[in-house]
Amino acid sequence: TCCVDSFFWGRPIWPELEVFLFNNPVDNRSAEWGVASPHWYFSSALPKALTGSLFFFAIGICRERRTWPLAVMALSYVLLYSLLPHKELRFLFPVLPYFTAVAAAGLDSVVKNRRKKGAGV
């Protein structure tokens, strides 16, 4: 998109570099748009974004060892983004599918467990 963006901005521009330079933690220019506490993603954004699946995310981590790599990647991403002062829910969009996949594995585990108990009765 460099050519298109450069045309519209009227100067040579690399959008990803511009975003990094604006949002880097040293200059902290993103704080001009508001700041939130470091725990905001965990205490507010994720519970709202995942709604009912947050419960199944926890079950997925506890019952399905195969979900650990996805969970670690997603949680690490959120933890790193928590270090930036300016926070928005949209910054988490890239990892919401990982949270959802782990939650789906947790729900699958619950359904299979209920079927087992139901079959034995």
Side-chain angles (χ1 to χ4, degrees), residues 13-31:
I13 189 170
W14 180 21
E16 292 78 10
L17 180 62
E18 293 286 325
V19 168
F20 174 76
L21 293 175
F22 186 84
N23 289 310
N24 76 71
V26 176
D27 292 337
N28 196 18
R29 289 183 50 208
S30 63

Side-chain angles (χ1 to χ4, degrees), residues 71-117:
V72 167
M73 284 190 306
L75 292 169
S76 297
Y77 179 97
V78 175
L79 190 62
L80 287 173
Y81 266 76
S82 293
L83 300 176
L84 297 174
H86 179 68
K87 295 170 181 62
E88 293 183 37
L89 176 59
R90 67 186 176 104
F91 297 161
L92 299 185
F93 287 174
V95 294
L96 288 181
Y98 297 142
F99 282 101
T100 305
V102 174
L107 177 60
D108 182 58
S109 172
V110 168
V111 169
K112 285 179 181 175
N113 192 32
R114 288 194 63 124
R115 282 188 187 148
K116 263 190 227 177
K117 286 182 179 180

